[in-house]
């Protein structure tokens, strides 16, 4: 029996807050975890790193009681435990904020915080609890706000408040900065640091290594289900962590892609320009406006063109109208007024793949068939689709045992690679991508940015929006800023783009 009181070599005098030793988990023929271990000391931020499919989320789901290990030991504060469900983990003071939020959009903040609690719902008590937690933690929320009306950064704050409402002293966060604007990232990392300083414990699953090195005390790296490296954060660099994650240095991608993927702070500089001449306009908006169901105009008189053979980057803070702009350009939304000239063959990679891009319980082959849904007639060519799915998996490094497994069997990063590969395989004349590297590891991020450049060089009109401004600057030929529903082109300069995103300055 493994001693659950065993600590790491960094400080043998401190009892771990959470310890997982020699944990293994298989899903059929897939080995998700192979004797993986993680020891987290109290009062620290501990980063958990690894490629997509390395086992990070599976290990944390076991820590939170969402999954059961096939073997291994779990201990909290030196006491061996076995979770029957997440309720047991929450009773032990562990909370988890998953990459895809578990909020009920139609409910208010207070109702979401109370959801899952014991006894009858007391609205006044729930509202008071939200205010009390905000006062203690600094995570202030309007208890009566409807979740559907909240920007993504505020929804994430709500997920943390939900955990704190159940007295969580250990927080597990899975890719919490993936869809946050730079200012929101700074705010979250500062809050996590304060939470740990005040005695809380944080386990942070992340891919942006610069963010990890800003906030973490210790790091653990998983590779192919095994723990391969644990160290104090001040003893490592982004380069050494990347090498540990990949098993070798990343040398095949352009320098700008590597810097963006690792989250290095230096600006990426000029993008790699297209090797082909810019073609004719493919996507055209002329005075296009969008009014939402509440009667609010969220996009105002947008006029722009995207030509074949170029990448246009869309820069915006959350809620500035960029989601509607992207859906206009992808042909998924009609303007309330004005005109949108969009070809039929437009590939689209939406931000929320679970809601808008895949069917989790369908196989990879069936998800590939969605590419032509609504346009195909006659019998579905399943044999050809199976061959195409195998080819897509090989070309895009989608890691799955077979194309016949359900989509939910893949890690989030591999799901994302599949969606992008599916859209590119459809030979689109235009491609619109929204946060395409969300949840991707270093290698996959570099591959995605290379694939977008390759599509551009082949004459495709490419539009990209990312909450990571450096990613937009690294890959785009032109930059269009969407601020408060107003669209305008801005010089390819980080400061100018930043000012325009905030609608500040005389030249913004």
């Amino acid at each position: 029996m493994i001693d659950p009181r065993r600590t790491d070599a960094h400080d043998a005098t401190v009892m771990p807050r959470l310890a997982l030793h020699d944990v293994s988990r298989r899903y059929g023929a897939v080995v998700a975890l192979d004797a993986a271990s993680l020891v987290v000391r109290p009062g620290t931020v501990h980063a958990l790193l690894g490629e997509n499919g390395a086992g990070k989320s599976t290990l944390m789901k076991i820590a939170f009681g969402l999954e059961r290990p096939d073997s291994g030991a779990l201990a909290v504060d030196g006491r061996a435990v076995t979770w029957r469900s997440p309720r047991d983990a929450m009773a032990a003071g562990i909370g988890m904020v998953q990459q895809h939020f578990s909020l009920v959009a139609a409910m208010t903040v207070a109702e979401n915080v109370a959801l899952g609690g014991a006894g009858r719902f007391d609205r006044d008590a729930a509202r008071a609890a939200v205010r009390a937690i905000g006062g203690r933690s600094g995570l202030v929320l309007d208890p009566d706000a409807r979740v559907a009306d909240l920007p993504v950064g505020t929804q994430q704050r709500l997920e943390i408040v939900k955990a704190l409402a159940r007295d969580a002293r250990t927080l597990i966060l899975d890719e919490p900065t993936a869809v946050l604007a730079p200012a929101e990232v700074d705010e979250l990392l500062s809050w996590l640091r304060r939470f740990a300083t005040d005695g809380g414990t944080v386990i942070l699953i992340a891919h942006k290594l610069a963010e990890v090195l800003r906030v973490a005390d210790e790091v653990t790296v998983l590779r192919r289900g095994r723990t391969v490296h644990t160290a104090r954060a001040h003893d490592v660099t982004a380069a050494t962590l990347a090498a540990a994650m990949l098993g070798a240095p990343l040398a095949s991608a352009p320098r700008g892609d590597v810097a963006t993927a690792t989250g290095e702070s230096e600006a990426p500089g000029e993008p790699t320009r297209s090797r082909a001449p810019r073609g004719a306009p493919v996507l055209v908006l002329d005075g296009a406006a969008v009014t939402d169901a509440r009667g609010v105009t969220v996009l105002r008189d947008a006029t722009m063109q995207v030509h074949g053979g170029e990448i246009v980057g869309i820069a915006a803070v959350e809620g500035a109208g960029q989601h509607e702009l992207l859906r206009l350009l992808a042909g998924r939304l009609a303007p309330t007024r004005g005109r949108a000239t969009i070809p039929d063959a437009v590939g689209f990679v939406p931000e929320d793949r679970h809601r808008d891009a895949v069917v989790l319980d369908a196989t990879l082959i069936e998800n590939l068939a969605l590419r032509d849904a609504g346009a195909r007639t006659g019998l579905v060519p399943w044999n050809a689709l199976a061959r195409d799915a195998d080819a897509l998996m090989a070309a895009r490094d989608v890691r799955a045992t077979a194309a016949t497994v359900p989509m939910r069997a893949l890690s989030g990063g591999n799901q994302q690679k599949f969606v992008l590969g599916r859209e590119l395989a459809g030979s689109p004349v235009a491609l619109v991508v929204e946060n395409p590297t969300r949840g991707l590891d270093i290698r996959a991020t570099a591959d995605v940015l290379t694939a977008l450049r390759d599509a551009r060089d082949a004459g495709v009109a490419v539009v990209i929006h990312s909450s990571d401004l450096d990613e937009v600057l690294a890959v785009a030929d032109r930059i269009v800023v969407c601020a408060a529903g107003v669209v305008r082109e801005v010089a390819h300069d980080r400061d100018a783009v930043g000012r325009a995103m905030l609608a500040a300055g005389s030249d913004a």
Side-chain angles (χ1 to χ4, degrees):
M1 179 62 130
I2 297 168
D3 180 5
R5 298 173 63 89
R6 185 174 67 192
T7 66
D8 63 0
H10 296 150
D11 192 341
T13 66
V14 176
M15 181 68 68
R17 168 63 180 145
L18 178 66
L20 297 100
H21 291 301
D22 298 330
V23 173
S24 295
R25 183 70 168 98
R26 298 177 66 96
Y27 299 94
V30 177
V31 179
L33 293 170
D34 185 4
S37 296
L38 174 69
V39 177
V40 182
R41 295 183 297 121
T44 64
V45 177
H46 196 118
L48 183 60
L49 311 177
E51 286 193 273
N52 296 124
K56 307 181 299 296
S57 295
T58 301
L59 187 63
M60 289 300 93
K61 287 178 180 178
I62 288 171
F64 188 57
L66 287 167
E67 299 275 358
R68 291 191 178 185
D70 297 324
S71 61
L74 173 64
V76 174
D77 295 329
R79 179 175 60 89
V81 296
T82 301
W83 304 142
R84 293 167 297 179
S85 72
R87 187 176 295 274
D88 292 341
M90 288 187 287
I94 299 174
M96 184 172 184
V97 178
Q98 300 193 60
Q99 185 176 357
H100 293 274
F101 301 154
S102 57
L103 303 172
V104 181
M107 289 185 174
T108 67
V109 166
E111 289 166 343
N112 271 273
V113 170
L115 196 64
R120 297 179 62 181
F121 173 61
D122 185 330
R123 186 178 305 277
D124 290 338
R127 295 168 77 242
V130 171
R131 293 193 180 98
I133 294 168
R136 293 195 306 268
S137 67
L139 300 176
V140 178
L141 294 167
D142 176 2
D144 298 319
R146 195 170 69 108
V147 168
D149 299 329
L150 300 178
V152 66
T154 307
Q155 290 185 33
Q156 185 178 73
R157 178 180 295 190
L158 173 55
E159 286 280 17
I160 296 174
V161 167
K162 282 176 55 182
L164 296 179
R166 287 155 179 77
D167 298 320
R169 302 184 305 279
T170 299
L171 289 175
I172 302 169
L173 293 98
D174 192 350
E175 291 290 342
T177 67
V179 294
L180 299 185
E184 292 173 320
V185 171
D186 293 339
E187 180 183 357
L188 176 64
L189 296 184
S190 296
W191 186 88
L192 294 178
R193 187 68 267 164
R194 291 195 302 272
F195 180 74
T197 300
D198 292 340
T201 304
V202 177
I203 305 171
L204 178 65
I205 300 177
H207 286 307
K208 291 289 186 181
L209 301 185
E211 294 174 3
V212 167
L213 295 175
R214 281 172 57 190
V215 72
D217 299 292
E218 294 180 310
V219 295
T220 291
V221 177
L222 298 184
R223 187 168 70 244
R224 297 183 181 179
R226 292 176 174 266
T227 301
V228 297
H229 190 63
T230 296
R232 292 189 185 276
H234 60 65
D235 292 333
V236 296
T237 66
T240 59
L241 289 175
M245 291 166 61
L246 303 174
L250 183 64
S252 60
R255 172 60 190 166
D257 290 357
V258 176
T260 299
T262 58
E264 294 176 13
S265 58
E266 63 264 20
E270 283 295 302
T272 304
R273 298 295 181 183
S274 174
R275 293 190 293 270
R278 192 172 73 163
V282 175
L283 306 174
V284 179
L285 300 182
D286 185 8
V290 174
T291 301
D292 67 14
R294 300 167 297 171
V296 177
T297 299
V298 292
L299 193 67
R300 304 172 185 276
D301 301 323
T303 296
M304 62 178 290
Q305 296 182 347
V306 184
H307 297 250
E310 71 170 350
I311 299 176
V312 172
I314 307 295
V317 298
E318 182 63 31
Q322 74 273 22
H323 297 302
E324 291 76 16
L325 175 62
L326 292 167
R327 280 150 184 77
L328 277 180
L329 293 169
R332 269 62 172 182
L333 181 66
T336 306
R337 65 175 183 273
R339 184 168 59 90
T341 304
I342 311 297
D344 293 333
V346 179
F348 182 46
V349 179
E351 178 178 77
D352 190 337
R353 56 182 172 267
H354 287 179
R355 185 183 67 186
D356 300 325
V358 300
V359 179
L360 289 172
D361 290 322
T363 68
L364 304 191
I365 298 170
E366 291 165 336
N367 271 279
L368 182 60
L370 294 177
R371 185 182 63 210
D372 298 320
R376 185 188 298 109
T377 58
L379 297 175
V380 178
W382 291 114
N383 290 336
L385 283 169
R387 291 191 296 270
D388 290 345
D390 288 336
L392 187 157
M393 290 167 60
R396 300 296 170 189
D397 190 30
V398 177
R399 300 180 186 181
T401 54
T404 53
V405 302
M407 180 62 70
R408 70 169 64 254
L410 275 63
S411 70
N414 281 299
Q415 291 175 9
Q416 188 77 342
K417 288 189 288 185
F418 179 92
V419 173
L420 178 61
R422 178 183 67 192
E423 298 306 298
L424 287 171
S427 301
V429 297
L431 177 68
V432 178
V433 294
E434 184 177 26
N435 275 312
T437 64
R438 177 186 180 186
L440 296 188
D441 56 45
I442 297 169
R443 190 196 309 270
T445 294
D447 288 346
V448 165
L449 299 185
T450 298
L452 295 180
R453 290 193 183 97
D454 289 346
R456 172 199 62 191
D457 294 345
V460 177
V462 179
V463 178
I464 176 175
H465 165 68
S466 173
S467 53
D468 185 339
L469 178 56
D470 286 331
E471 186 167 279
V472 174
L473 291 167
V475 75
D477 300 297
R478 291 193 293 127
I479 304 291
V480 169
V481 169
C482 186
V486 177
V487 173
R488 60 171 301 213
E489 186 169 349
V490 177
H492 198 290
D493 173 82
R494 198 180 199 283
D495 291 338
V497 173
R499 289 195 303 271
M501 288 170 65
L502 298 174
S506 59
D507 59 342

